[in-house]
Amino acid sequence: MAVKVVETSMRDGHQSLLATRMTTEEILSIIPDLDQAGFYALEVWGGATFDACLRFLNEDPWERLRQIKKLAPNTKLQMLFRGQNILGYRHYADDIVDKFVQKSLENGIDIIRVFDALNDIRNLKSAVDATKKYGGHCQIALCYTTSPIHTVDYFVNLAKEVELMGADSLCIKDMAGILLPEAAYELITRLKKQTKLPINLHSHATAGVIDATYLKAIEAGVDIIDTALSPLSGGTSQPATEAFQYMLENSKDDPKLNIKALDQAAIKLTFIKDKYLANGILNPKALTSNPNILKYQVPGGMLSNLMSQLKEQDAMKDYEKVLHEIPIVRKDMGYPPLVTPLSQMVGTQAVMNVISGSPYKIVPKEIKEYLKGLYGKAPGKVNDLVLAKIIGHEQVITHRPADDIKPEFENLKKKYKDFARSDEDLLSIALFDTVAIDFLKLKYQDAPAPEVIEFNIKIGGNS
Ligand code: CO
């Protein structure tokens, strides 16, 4: 069966290689060609793209989405959604999740890919329910990682659970690019056998093994693959879209992409890429394979973060020690996948353990909150001694963290009634707070004052 292809250059591609700095104008210049290419979907929106619009580009991310939609009438648009974190970094109330899903679909998104850093499916539930409620396609992504907990059985069991939750498709999200060809073959084969869900593979070229991994996944019957147009492919990004069209052409898996349209898009995207290479945003190092990530099992981004943390503390001599400490900390924490924000948290703890010379003498606030259950359930068993040392007699919650968060939307509406002009503005503020407020101040500075409407508000009540 023809393999379906999701084009990622307008989200993960420039997030991985260009610090998410492509402007709406640059993106819109490529979209009409991509829309003619025959993709299953274009991934165009997510946490970092939204954040970078407000923080660095002085652009409205909602406006970007609406404009992309206008120029892509033939292709579904996809976004990446961090479960109860939505596009931000903390857990939000269910009413914010619901409203964000509703407005994303209204403004042009068709497929919402939802994941949770810990694969705690309780943290996916409200996003999944909202996507179904407002008629979107809900894809649940499971973060891929390796550990004694993360066996093929573990992923198959989770897949069965997300199928019951009402997911329309399943994604294996290998954010670190550590899925090897044989492991992919085994995993996809089992998933195809034991669920009815279409399976999507998302990985990164970081380790230099990705093309082989994708081909084995295709051999095992994967339905959808994520690739990036060649100028923004390779290295820490996805493998090249055009390469897969050439590799699979005239086979039973032929994705039947329109090479002419891809070439047109690639020519334009090469000019854009060259600009970022010249101004230093694209670091050529990000384009080189780094098979060491397979040895350490940590994402490439985490390795470079570690190096800069150690350089700052003048402790580069401890680099090897920290690399050995990471798996120990990860085991103590119950083997969380090393994805944002857990990768930064585990990395920082490992650095502190090594530099202070005494494990868990210094502990970041986030690690403490994680151990108290505020991020959700750890995948495996947390080390009891470490737990006792860090949180003492403080309470550990076993329920879903968002159960403790009261509805937020109506309060925001009241608080910003003279300022925000739409629910979309309010959602930007809900997620990015002062960054969004500063952006909106600039956007509206010369515009006439908004019309003020009275709302009947019950503080803390359901909306
Ligand atoms: Co990715």
Side-chain angles (χ1 to χ4, degrees):
M1 205 183 55
V3 170
K4 298 184 176 83
V5 181
V6 173
E7 169 59 39
T8 63
S9 54
M10 301 296 121
R11 202 284 295 173
D12 208 351
H14 78 117
Q15 182 174 334
S16 297
L17 298 176
L18 307 180
T20 336
R21 290 301 203 280
M22 270 178 78
T23 64
T24 297
E25 198 188 344
E26 288 167 341
I27 288 171
L28 295 179
S29 73
I30 313 280
I31 294 289
D33 296 317
L34 296 180
D35 188 47
Q36 294 301 316
F39 287 112
Y40 171 66
L42 305 177
E43 190 192 45
V44 295
W45 228 46
T49 50
F50 198 100
D51 191 346
C53 272
L54 296 171
R55 201 182 294 269
F56 303 117
L57 303 172
N58 192 26
E59 287 185 10
D60 193 325
W62 298 97
E63 188 55 36
R64 173 185 289 187
L65 175 58
R66 287 190 288 271
Q67 293 191 28
I68 292 174
K69 186 69 183 176
K70 257 190 226 157
L71 295 179
N74 305 305
T75 316
K76 292 187 183 110
L77 300 184
Q78 179 173 307
M79 76 176 290
L80 184 61
F81 196 106
R82 297 179 190 143
Q84 205 71 27
N85 297 9
I86 311 181
L87 306 184
Y89 307 101
R90 68 165 175 95
H91 284 249
Y92 293 93
D94 290 329
D95 67 336
I96 302 278
V97 173
D98 183 274
K99 187 61 99 181
F100 204 97
V101 166
Q102 182 191 8
K103 289 291 157 186
S104 301
L105 295 170
E106 270 180 32
N107 282 278
I109 292 293
D110 300 284
I111 302 169
I112 300 191
R113 175 181 289 173
V114 194
F115 78 100
D116 175 67
L118 296 173
N119 293 324
D120 182 343
I121 62 169
R122 298 172 309 170
N123 292 336
L124 305 174
K125 181 98 174 65
S126 12
V128 172
D129 289 350
T131 308
K132 304 304 290 177
K133 176 169 141 195
Y134 299 112
H137 174 117
C138 182
Q139 179 177 83
I140 292 183
L142 300 176
C143 295
Y144 179 78
T145 186
T146 54
S147 85
I149 305 290
H150 295 90
T151 59
V152 173
D153 283 339
Y154 166 93
F155 287 110
V156 169
N157 288 335
L158 269 181
K160 287 181 188 162
E161 283 189 61
V162 305
E163 188 169 22
L164 288 175
M165 269 177 98
D168 298 300
S169 59
L170 175 76
C171 175
I172 295 297
K173 178 177 162 60
D174 175 24
M175 56 280 162
I178 55 174
L179 179 59
L180 289 165
E182 283 306 325
Y185 184 82
E186 193 191 348
L187 179 58
I188 304 293
T189 302
R190 287 279 306 281
L191 289 171
K192 287 302 291 179
K193 233 178 244 165
Q194 289 178 273
T195 78
K196 290 190 178 65
L197 294 172
I199 313 286
N200 190 156
L201 178 59
H202 174 91
S203 184
H204 288 253
T206 325
V209 301
I210 186 70
D211 291 357
T213 298
Y214 272 31
L215 285 177
K216 288 303 277 186
I218 291 167
E219 200 183 319
V222 82
D223 299 273
I224 310 163
I225 54 171
D226 281 14
T227 63
L229 201 64
S230 56
L232 290 185
S233 72
T236 51
S237 178
Q238 273 74 56
T241 304
E242 302 94 308
F244 276 87
Q245 178 53 45
Y246 286 117
M247 280 191 266
L248 300 172
E249 198 144 305
N250 299 323
S251 75
K252 67 175 182 18
D253 303 309
D254 190 342
K256 298 204 167 66
L257 297 177
N258 176 346
I259 276 286
K260 212 176 138 208
L262 294 179
D263 286 347
Q264 273 171 18
I267 289 167
K268 292 179 194 166
L269 193 51
T270 301
F271 280 111
I272 294 168
K273 173 195 179 177
D274 286 347
K275 179 186 118 184
Y276 290 102
L277 196 56
N279 70 12
I281 284 180
L282 172 54
N283 180 348
K285 267 190 195 160
L287 295 167
T288 315
S289 300
N290 181 5
N292 264 346
I293 62 161
L294 298 170
K295 181 162 69 182
Y296 302 121
Q297 301 279 298
V298 303
M302 192 174 161
L303 283 180
S304 48
N305 271 349
L306 269 183
M307 275 198 222
S308 54
Q309 247 177 320
L310 289 171
K311 264 184 203 148
E312 259 171 41
Q313 317 231 17
D314 203 18
M316 266 312 278
K317 62 175 190 338
D318 291 327
Y319 184 63
E320 284 293 322
K321 275 192 212 155
V322 172
L323 284 178
H324 286 287
E325 185 67 15
I326 288 171
I328 298 169
V329 172
R330 187 167 171 244
K331 185 177 177 206
D332 289 341
M333 297 296 132
Y335 298 108
L338 295 176
V339 61
T340 306
L342 270 306
S343 47
Q344 292 89 333
M345 286 156 59
V346 169
T348 304
Q349 185 65 64
V351 169
M352 287 174 173
N353 286 358
V354 168
I355 290 182
S356 72
S358 167
Y360 306 105
K361 191 177 152 202
I362 309 167
V363 179
K365 180 176 127 259
E366 290 81 3
I367 287 280
K368 194 170 172 185
E369 288 175 346
Y370 167 80
L371 290 172
K372 288 167 78 175
L374 300 180
Y375 288 80
K377 195 176 177 302
K381 199 177 165 344
V382 168
N383 182 330
D384 282 332
L385 292 175
V386 172
L387 184 70
K389 181 168 180 178
I390 296 177
I391 67 164
H393 296 296
E394 287 184 61
Q395 198 200 354
V396 175
I397 68 161
T398 52
H399 53 265
R400 189 185 67 123
D403 289 343
D404 293 332
I405 309 174
K406 291 200 181 84
E408 295 172 278
F409 195 72
E410 290 302 318
N411 283 341
L412 276 170
K413 215 168 182 172
K414 189 182 172 198
K415 190 170 170 194
Y416 295 102
K417 69 176 167 32
D418 295 333
F419 178 61
R421 301 199 182 172
S422 63
D423 285 354
E424 286 81 352
D425 285 352
L426 286 167
L427 290 167
S428 298
I429 294 171
L431 266 57
F432 291 97
D433 202 44
T434 50
V435 171
I437 290 170
D438 289 347
F439 162 75
L440 290 168
K441 272 184 190 156
L442 272 174
K443 182 177 173 183
Y444 293 142
Q445 62 185 353
D446 297 321
E451 189 186 338
V452 179
I453 311 162
E454 287 289 342
F455 287 102
N456 188 11
I457 290 159
K458 258 195 280 167
I459 295 173
N462 265 307
S463 54

